[in-house]
Amino acid sequence: MIGELSNRELIEEIEVTRKNMVLTGLGFGLTHPDTIELSHRLDNLLNDLYKPNNREQLFFYMDKG
């Protein structure tokens, strides 16, 4: 979905999107269209991260810290 991002880049994008979603939710409310759009983007990023072909690399990355 997001393209050929490495797991590290994907995790960084997840964190940026999560922070933006929280700030938007606090500023405009949880049902604001921008908050919902960021929530959907975050869902898609997380789905990409947890795809079966990424799982093995992800656990290796998490073990290494």
Side-chain angles (χ1 to χ4, degrees):
M1 164 113 9
I2 301 303
E4 294 299 320
L5 295 177
S6 70
N7 281 344
R8 179 179 292 252
E9 292 169 324
L10 198 50
I11 290 169
E12 289 172 5
E13 185 67 24
I14 287 168
E15 283 304 307
V16 168
T17 303
R18 183 190 62 79
K19 288 176 186 175
N20 287 337
M21 183 187 71
V22 169
L23 291 174
T24 302
L26 290 172
F28 298 107
L30 298 179
T31 59
H32 190 275
D34 291 347
T35 307
I36 293 170
E37 181 179 329
L38 286 165
S39 176
H40 288 172
R41 177 168 171 71
L42 182 59
D43 288 344
N44 289 332
L45 289 166
L46 289 168
N47 286 338
D48 284 349
L49 183 65
Y50 290 112
K51 283 182 180 174
N53 59 336
N54 284 338
R55 245 182 238 160
E56 189 173 310
Q57 293 175 12
L58 173 64
F59 291 128
F60 176 78
Y61 174 76
M62 291 174 75
D63 286 341
K64 293 291 182 183

